[in-house]
Every structure is written in structure tokens, then in C-alpha cells.
Amino acid sequence: MFFKLLILALANLAAAEDVNFTYNGFRSANLSLDGNAQFTPNGLLMMTNDTEDQKGHAFYPNPVTFKNSYSNSNVFSFSTTFVFAIRSVSATPGGHGMAFVIAPQRGLPGALNGPFLGLFKLANNGNTTNHVFAVELDTVQSTAFNDIDNNHVGIDINGLNSTDSASAAYYAKKNGGLRNLTLISGKPMQLWVEYDGTHKQINVTLAPINVDKPQAPLISLNHDLAPILNKTMYVGFSSSTGSMNGQAQELVLSQLPKLPRVGGKKMSKLLIIGVPVISVSLVFLAISGVIYAIRRKRKFAELLEDWELEYGPQRFKYKELYIATKGFREKELLGRGGFGKVYKGILPTSKTEIAVKRISHESRQGMKEFVAEIVSVGRLRHRNLVPLLGYCRRKGELLLVYDYMRNGSLDKYLYNQPTVTLNWSQRFKVIRGVASGLFYLHEEWEQVVVHRDVKASNVLLDGELNGRLGDFGLARLYDHGTDPQTTHIVGTVGYLAPEQARSGKATTSTDVFSFGAFLLEVACGRRPIERQGPLQGVILVDWVFSCWKKARPSMRQVVQYLEGDIAFPELSFLWHSSIGLTFAPHEGSDDFAKSYPSSFTGLSYVESTLLSGGR
Ligand SMILES: *[C@@H]1O[C@H](CO)[C@@H](O)[C@H](O)[C@H]1NC(C)=O
Ligand SMILES: *[C@@H]1O[C@H](CO)[C@@H](O)[C@H](O)[C@H]1NC(C)=O
Ligand SMILES: *[C@@H]1O[C@H](CO)[C@@H](O)[C@H](O)[C@H]1NC(C)=O
Ligand SMILES: *[C@@H]1O[C@H](CO)[C@@H](O)[C@H](O)[C@H]1NC(C)=O
Ligand SMILES: *[C@@H]1O[C@H](CO)[C@@H](O)[C@H](O)[C@H]1NC(C)=O
Ligand SMILES: *[C@@H]1O[C@H](CO)[C@@H](O)[C@H](O)[C@H]1NC(C)=O
Ligand SMILES: *[C@@H]1O[C@H](CO)[C@@H](O)[C@H](O)[C@H]1NC(C)=O
Ligand SMILES: *[C@@H]1O[C@H](CO)[C@@H](O)[C@H](O)[C@H]1NC(C)=O
């Protein structure tokens, strides 16, 4: 009698967002079994017993996503590798084999044993409605299925007549040529199955366990799996035995080859299942370690829902952005802010320079509205706005793609001893540009867009040092993202209008306040609230007020005003106690205040200062 034992180790099956499992050892394995499959007390999984004509299946219980939501879209790239050893203790060759299988259901109901490998039956062999992909390890030549020999590896698509197959062999290193292998030699071997979803290519590679993965695959088949694999499929193993013609022998578990830890870098978690199969015609001792890692798929996984279809042109592929930013390398990091990190990139196809903002965003709620807004904002076109080219969505993450602005954000040129400072005309150009961009958002576009976060770090400088306002509409994300219980004020401290701090409501007027603070920031080269140095904690607006008070005109200027030689300064002033500005009047300021009772904004102050060329 003959035994066949397979021990499979599946590693870190992370094919899709919704699949993440880890098994440590046979005992904790949680697989969907059928046929004669059962666990043995020592933690192995026995797929068939020593009765003839058996079959068994072991499937990962949960479905694995192979495509995104479109039914006719590409299959994601995936790869799997498993280690096995088949030992024959009988002089008689024969028995049957096993297969790695991707099928629409857990198990393959109605499939036959023997040469059918538990995969198909005669009635459905080759039927395109099967949606089954398998890689067989066959030790019997079945002429009914055009098998090439009794020791081969084959790619089976919907049927047992292999689409492509090869005698067991591997390419030795350094052009050592093709070396034969015998599947039933008892030696552990490793099999890799890889599918490249972009090039629609299936590679199957075999090697002895002590040999690194050969450079060249044993079988390389160009075949699109899109018509075969549905969106979600089940992965597992199928095995069958033939008819009895020998004597069963005790399984010698101690002789099992040690399960190889092929994992290492990317595959740390092993799912380990044992699959002993007792064959009546042969004794097989096979140890298989399966390491299944649809790594590429996981790496490039993104979220795409049906409502996003209309945004096709604005939607970027994550893979494209990944390549553009060289895998979001730290070296490509342009900056980081409250919303997330920004990376520089070059789009692989158009060679356009882009900036990619990665925002972690857990909340799904409101995402649809937010994306709709992003897309509509993407239609804004103004020379003083940073063009938003599009977006990409992943689980818990949103990526926004902007035009790359060569000279970076304005704040770099303002504080912390910048290497390059801007002169007055450059600063004025920036301010005028931002004002014009904001005016467009508020009044010139078809909808009113409240920016909510006007500040120097959101202003970018293009190649000609034009100021361009970025990040418009992003503030909405905070709204969607926050717990409704916590009232979140959107914006940045120091730029928030006093009434906004109270009501939390952003309007075009609150944008104007922020713009005023921004003006002071650019004019003075100071932060709206100084974070360090002797002026730490000083609010810029207050500081400007206090300077203003010392700026009484000289008598020479008074005479010039009165003579009409220079224009009278336009002063409008109101102590802001009523709206909460914490400006503490110094001695002697009362009269001044009373004389200028109309409203003051940072804007009018700086405008007049700037226009008169003062600093
Ligand atoms: C998968 O599960 C493990 C253990 O539960 C967890 O540590 C890991 O972060 C998960 N990975 C992902 C990508 O969800
Ligand atoms: C095994 O799978 C079942 C159903 O899929 C699940 O309820 C159970 O928690 C799983 N057990 C382990 C140990 O993963
Ligand atoms: C093998 O399993 C089958 C079905 O489960 C059962 O009928 C048969 O008795 C078993 N044979 C042995 C030797 O345990
Ligand atoms: C697989 O997808 C095809 C269409 O592509 C569909 O006809 C079939 O019912 C699906 N099979 C399963 C098991 O979902
Ligand atoms: C498989 O190959 C056999 C032998 O050539 C042939 O008779 C049979 O029709 C083939 N089946 C399919 C589904 O192609
Ligand atoms: C394919 O299988 C389906 C369902 O099993 C069956 O109805 C159909 O007749 C089969 N087609 C062929 C060509 O065998
Ligand atoms: C390798 O196997 C092939 C096919 O079975 C056979 O034709 C060839 O002679 C074998 N080569 C060696 C060196 O054994
Ligand atoms: C298949 O092998 C060929 C040749 O080594 C290689 O160029 C190709 O990238 C491989 N494809 C996959 C999907 O691994």
C-alpha cells in the first residue's frame, strides 16, 4: 500500500485588502476540507485514507480577491510557491498527483479522483464555465488528457488537457542547462507559480529545495486569466489517488523533510497545513510548503467603486504613482503637513512632474462627497492656483496628485534663516497672485469655494516665483474624518478669524481674515504666532498693532499731508474687543483709537504699508 503525504505551508496570504491570515503550525490551521481530508492528532491534515479512489481538497476558507470591481478587468498579479517532496516506497510507479488550484468555490463538487486529480469530471473537462486555474504535479501519463509523460508539471485551465506542460526539470545557475528532476524521487522540491497581470504571463518554476529560484521558469505561458478568474476566488489544493495495487505502509512522520522556511523577507507568517494522502497504488511521502504571497497585488491594491467610474480621467492608478515617486521613497519627500506627506514624482508615461500628497483617511463616510468635491475642484483653472490633476484611493488612504511646483512652498523663504529671501517686489507679486487666486475661488468660479486654510505653507511658488494657492477644499476632509461629537475647527491657529473660533463656520470672510494674517506673515517674515525666540507666543496681528502705535508720523510728514504733497494715509481702525482680538492698548492709544473708529483689518494695514513701500 502506498501513502502520499503533503504538508503545505501557506504564508501570509495577503492577496487583497480583505484577506489577511496567518497560521502557525498544522494544529491551528483553519482550512475548509472535503473528501477524506481530516486532521491527524499530530497536526497533519490527511486528505485521503488508504481506501482506493480517494480525493481530497483543502481550501483557504475565505474568498480571495483577484480583480477589482469590474468583472472584465485585469486579474491582479499574484505569486505562490510551495515546497513538496514525493517519496515512493513501492517499486511500482503510478498513483496520481496533486494540484494548486484557484476555483470559484471551496472544493470542487462532483470532481473525480484518479487522473481527474479531484479537479474535474469528464462532463465538464475543458468547459469554459468551470473558471478553474490549476497547476498540476502529475506522476501518471493519462493519454486521455494528452499528458506528455508520467513526471510532469502542467498548467490546467478549465480542464485536464494541460494548456502547457513540461517534464519536471529546472534550469541550473550560470547557464548550467536544464536538469531533470523526478517528482517521486522523495527529494524536497519547490514550485513557484507567478502571474503577471500586466503582461498576462504565467510562469511556473521548479527547483530542488537546496537550490535558489532558477532565473528561467520551466514553463512560461502567455495567457490572460481575466476570463478564467472571477472577482473573488478560493485557493487551495486538490489531490487524488488511483486504484489499489499495493500494500499500505505506516507513515513515518519523523522522516518528513523539515518544512523549509522560504519566507524570509516578505513572507514572515506561515500558514502551515499538513495533507497526508494515502494512495492505494503508490506510497508517496510528500512535504509541501506553500508560501502564497500575492505581494504585488497587495502592494498596488487600491479602492475603486462604481460611483468613481465617471471620474476616470481624474483617477490615477496607485501603481503609476508608486512608480512615479520611486515607491514613496524618503528621498522624494517634499514635505509633511497636517494632512500628510507630500512626495515628488515623475509620471512614467507623460514624464510630467507631479507632487503626490498622501493623506491617511480612515473614515469611509463622506468619501463619495469628498471625492466629488476633489474632482470638481480639479476643474478649477487659474494661474494662481496649484492645479489638482487627480486622485487615487486606497484603503485608509487618499492620494492627491498636483502639478509639481519647482520652488516649493512660500514658508521656506520666510522664516528660519532662509538661504534665499524674497525681495519686496517678489513678495508683492506673490501676495497679489494669492489674492487673485482667492478672488477666483470666492467670486469668479461657478461655485463659491472657501479655502479655509490660507497660509504661507499652502502657497507654492512656481518657476517664475508666482504665488499659487494649493490645498483648496482639503479642509473638508477634516470635517468628514472627525468624530461628529468633537467639534473640529478647520484651519490653522493664528489664521483663524475670531468669529470662526466661536462658531466653527468658515466663510469667504474668514478666508479674508486668514489672508490678512498671511499678508502680515509675508510682509514681516514672521509666523502668525511666533513659536520660538524672544517673541515666542506673540501674536503677529497684536505685534503689528503695537508697532503701528509707535508709527505716528513725523511732523515733516504731517506737514506734507497737510500740504497735500503726499496722500493722506488711509487709516481705519477699530479696537477689536468686540470680536475678541486680544490687543491690549498701550498708554496713550485711547485717543488714537477714538480718532479712527472704523473697522480695521490686517489687510488694509499691510496694503497701505506695502503700497507705500515700507517694511
Ligand atoms: C494582518 O494581521 C496581523 C495579525 O492580526 C496584523 O498584525 C497585521 O497588521 C495585519 N496586516 C494587515 C495588512 O492588515
Ligand atoms: C476558522 O474559520 C471559522 C469560519 O471561517 C471562524 O469562525 C474561526 O474563527 C476560524 N478559527 C481560527 C482559529 O482562525
Ligand atoms: C476511508 O474513508 C472512507 C470514507 O470516509 C471510509 O468509508 C473507509 O472505511 C476509510 N478507510 C479506512 C481504512 O479507514
Ligand atoms: C464567474 O464569472 C462569470 C462571468 O464572468 C459568471 O458567469 C459566473 O457565474 C461566475 N461564477 C461564479 C462561481 O461566480
Ligand atoms: C483532451 O485530449 C484528448 C486526447 O487528445 C481529446 O480526446 C479530448 O477531446 C481533449 N479534451 C478537451 C476538453 O480538449
Ligand atoms: C459546461 O458545463 C455546464 C454546466 O455544468 C453545462 O450545462 C454545459 O452543457 C457544459 N458545456 C459543455 C460544452 O460541455
Ligand atoms: C531528461 O528528461 C527528458 C524527458 O523525460 C529526456 O528526454 C532526457 O533524456 C532527460 N535527460 C537526462 C540528462 O536524463
Ligand atoms: C517569466 O519569466 C520570464 C523569463 O525569465 C520573465 O522575463 C518574466 O518577467 C517572468 N514573468 C513573471 C510573471 O514572473
Side-chain angles (χ1 to χ4, degrees):
M1 265 216 209
F2 306 99
F3 291 89
K4 181 169 180 180
L5 180 86
L6 307 167
I7 295 171
L8 310 169
L10 275 177
N12 203 9
L13 177 61
E17 301 293 335
D18 52 355
V19 176
N20 179 15
F21 66 81
T22 306
Y23 287 109
N24 292 309
F26 308 152
R27 265 166 256 257
S28 64
N30 196 7
L31 297 173
S32 169
L33 310 178
D34 68 27
N36 277 25
Q38 62 184 94
F39 284 103
T40 65
N42 56 0
L44 294 173
L45 173 66
M46 197 175 218
M47 282 186 82
T48 57
N49 61 14
D50 56 0
T51 306
E52 64 184 16
D53 289 334
Q54 299 292 325
K55 63 177 162 114
H57 298 127
F59 272 81
Y60 176 62
N62 301 324
V64 175
T65 305
F66 280 93
K67 289 179 177 181
N68 63 28
S69 41
Y70 313 116
S71 50
N72 52 359
S73 61
N74 276 359
V75 168
F76 300 127
S77 297
F78 64 86
S79 73
T80 172
T81 169
F82 54 97
V83 175
F84 66 95
I86 303 172
R87 192 182 68 172
S88 171
V89 294
S90 156
T92 326
H96 269 96
M98 65 162 293
F100 167 76
V101 58
I102 304 176
Q105 316 88 10
R106 282 184 288 259
L108 296 145
L112 298 179
N113 45 32
F116 291 93
L117 298 174
L119 293 172
F120 304 104
K121 55 191 170 192
L122 202 53
N124 72 359
N125 185 35
N127 193 333
T128 52
T129 57
N130 289 341
H131 295 283
V132 169
F133 168 83
V135 177
E136 62 169 41
L137 296 162
D138 201 348
T139 62
V140 178
Q141 181 167 20
S142 309
T143 46
F145 306 129
N146 278 338
D147 278 357
I148 51 165
D149 61 14
N150 62 354
N151 179 42
H152 63 271
V153 180
I155 297 174
D156 295 352
I157 290 167
N158 290 329
L160 287 156
N161 294 33
S162 299
T163 309
D164 201 349
S165 63
S167 295
Y170 74 103
Y171 286 94
K173 257 203 293 210
K174 297 179 186 140
N175 302 322
L178 196 62
R179 297 199 185 159
N180 285 351
L181 288 169
T182 307
L183 290 175
I184 55 170
S185 65
K187 291 179 185 141
M189 292 172 216
Q190 188 169 2
L191 189 86
W192 290 263
V193 180
E194 291 155 302
Y195 179 68
D196 181 335
T198 313
H199 300 103
K200 307 189 182 2
Q201 188 178 45
I202 306 156
N203 283 1
V204 176
T205 314
L206 186 66
I209 188 63
N210 56 347
V211 165
D212 285 347
K213 186 186 173 198
Q215 302 273 300
L218 178 61
I219 304 172
S220 188
L221 173 68
N222 287 315
H223 197 105
D224 187 2
L225 291 184
I228 293 116
L229 302 189
N230 282 9
K231 181 178 180 251
T232 60
M233 301 289 282
Y234 290 87
V235 293
F237 294 88
S238 175
S239 183
S240 74
T241 63
S243 22
M244 179 182 286
N245 74 350
Q247 259 216 304
Q249 205 177 286
E250 279 282 283
L251 274 180
V252 187
L253 294 173
S254 60
Q255 288 179 4
L256 294 179
K258 263 220 154 63
L259 191 72
R261 292 251 155 190
V262 197
K265 285 166 265 160
K266 278 166 187 154
M267 320 166 188
S268 55
K269 298 159 191 161
L270 291 177
L271 158 69
I272 301 163
I273 59 169
V275 189
V277 177
I278 298 166
S279 155
V280 264
S281 61
L282 252 196
V283 175
F284 287 153
L285 182 66
I287 298 233
S288 305
V290 173
I291 288 134
Y292 188 94
I294 308 184
R295 303 191 300 271
R296 279 169 64 88
K297 196 269 131 183
R298 175 166 194 84
K299 201 154 125 189
F300 298 129
E302 47 188 85
L303 289 183
L304 184 56
E305 290 174 46
D306 291 338
W307 52 263
E308 289 176 84
L309 290 182
E310 58 179 297
Y311 306 140
Q314 281 91 13
R315 167 109 200 176
F316 281 80
K317 275 199 147 35
Y318 180 70
K319 190 171 167 184
E320 202 179 351
L321 301 182
Y322 188 89
I323 294 169
T325 56
K326 304 196 172 74
F328 295 98
R329 268 205 313 204
E330 279 301 297
K331 234 181 115 188
E332 309 299 318
L333 192 66
L334 292 172
R336 62 185 91 211
F339 287 113
K341 293 183 181 175
V342 186
Y343 296 84
K344 189 191 165 184
I346 296 172
L347 284 180
T349 41
S350 59
K351 306 285 171 223
T352 317
E353 286 185 308
I354 52 166
V356 182
K357 182 161 249 187
R358 263 188 116 148
I359 304 155
S360 69
H361 185 57
E362 290 308 329
S363 145
R364 285 179 58 84
Q365 151 218 11
M367 192 36 105
K368 193 169 168 177
E369 292 75 13
F370 180 69
V371 168
E373 239 168 274
I374 288 287
V375 168
S376 92
V377 155
R379 290 190 289 119
L380 292 168
R381 288 286 172 267
H382 189 274
R383 59 192 294 270
N384 295 108
L385 298 180
V386 180
L388 176 65
L389 304 178
Y391 77 101
C392 171
R393 219 154 61 83
R394 302 186 84 203
K395 193 179 179 193
E397 200 174 37
L398 184 72
L399 295 103
L400 298 179
V401 183
Y402 293 95
D403 253 3
Y404 175 65
M405 292 292 131
R406 195 159 292 273
N407 284 313
S409 65
L410 176 63
D411 57 339
K412 279 201 313 208
Y413 300 88
L414 297 180
Y415 355 97
N416 302 338
Q417 281 99 34
T419 43
V420 181
T421 50
L422 303 177
N423 63 29
W424 268 112
S425 66
Q426 286 168 327
R427 288 182 197 223
F428 189 59
K429 187 163 109 176
V430 169
I431 287 168
R432 232 178 18 195
V434 173
S436 152
L438 208 48
F439 171 55
Y440 174 79
L441 291 181
H442 285 181
E443 294 184 34
E444 288 186 319
W445 200 51
E446 60 200 52
Q447 283 173 293
V448 176
V449 179
V450 178
H451 185 288
R452 302 181 185 219
D453 208 7
V454 179
K455 57 180 174 181
S457 55
N458 276 344
V459 170
L460 293 139
L461 300 182
D462 64 14
E464 285 127 40
L465 292 179
N466 287 308
R468 283 166 171 252
L469 196 52
D471 269 2
F472 26 82
L474 246 202
R476 301 268 317 148
L477 194 65
Y478 268 142
D479 280 3
H480 294 309
T482 46
D483 174 357
Q485 243 91 67
T486 61
T487 46
H488 195 104
I489 296 169
V490 172
T492 305
V493 174
Y495 302 87
L496 287 178
E499 76 272 17
Q500 195 182 359
R502 277 211 304 257
S503 68
K505 213 170 141 212
T507 61
T508 50
S509 301
T510 58
D511 267 1
V512 175
F513 185 95
S514 307
F515 181 75
F518 160 77
L519 278 181
L520 294 178
E521 191 179 6
V522 179
C524 311
R526 287 182 189 284
R527 295 177 195 279
I529 297 181
E530 205 57 59
R531 286 195 219 140
Q532 57 216 14
L535 288 173
Q536 188 184 4
V538 166
I539 296 167
L540 183 57
V541 176
D542 297 359
W543 184 73
V544 169
F545 273 125
S546 70
C547 294
W548 172 263
K549 281 184 291 118
K550 299 182 200 147
R552 288 177 185 168
S554 65
M555 279 323 287
R556 172 196 292 271
Q557 282 168 307
V558 171
V559 170
Q560 281 171 326
Y561 292 143
L562 294 174
E563 296 295 337
D565 291 344
I566 57 173
F568 200 70
E570 248 184 73
L571 300 177
S572 43
F573 213 95
L574 172 75
W575 299 126
H576 280 66
S577 52
S578 62
I579 54 166
L581 251 194
T582 56
F583 173 65
H586 288 231
E587 273 179 56
S589 62
D590 286 357
D591 294 348
F592 180 84
K594 279 177 202 140
S595 337
Y596 299 100
S598 58
S599 72
F600 170 87
T601 63
L603 193 56
S604 66
Y605 167 77
V606 177
E607 236 168 28
S608 59
T609 315
L610 283 175
L611 291 171
S612 59
R615 178 165 185 155

